[in-house]
Amino acid sequence: MDAMSQNDVTTRSNRGQWENAVEGRPELSASFSSKQEAVDQGRATADELGSEHIVEDAEPTGAVTDEE
């Protein structure tokens, strides 16, 4: 897998919320209550920045865990 590039947007689950993290641009990162909302916004942000949008799938466990 290629290393993250500047402005790449990653949508991932984080402790029950979904977040969009923008590589090198933390001020553009945001959290959402639903995956669909985060994916839609992540795609739009990546389009605006001309960068990649990566969605990291998370298994719905119903439990809050810290996995390494």
Side-chain angles (χ1 to χ4, degrees):
M1 185 169 170
D2 291 334
M4 295 288 291
S5 296
Q6 184 78 6
N7 296 330
D8 279 358
V9 181
T10 303
T11 301
R12 66 172 67 93
S13 178
N14 183 13
R15 294 187 214 113
Q17 285 199 314
W18 285 87
E19 67 180 14
N20 288 331
V22 182
E23 186 71 17
R25 303 283 297 275
E27 72 278 6
L28 297 178
S29 299
S31 295
F32 302 89
S33 57
S34 77
K35 178 181 180 180
Q36 190 59 53
E37 187 179 15
V39 168
D40 290 345
Q41 186 59 50
R43 185 178 300 122
T45 300
D47 285 348
E48 284 179 28
L49 297 172
S51 60
E52 295 288 320
H53 179 221
I54 299 105
V55 178
E56 294 181 358
D57 278 324
E59 292 298 318
T61 61
V64 177
T65 59
D66 285 325
E67 294 179 0
E68 290 292 300

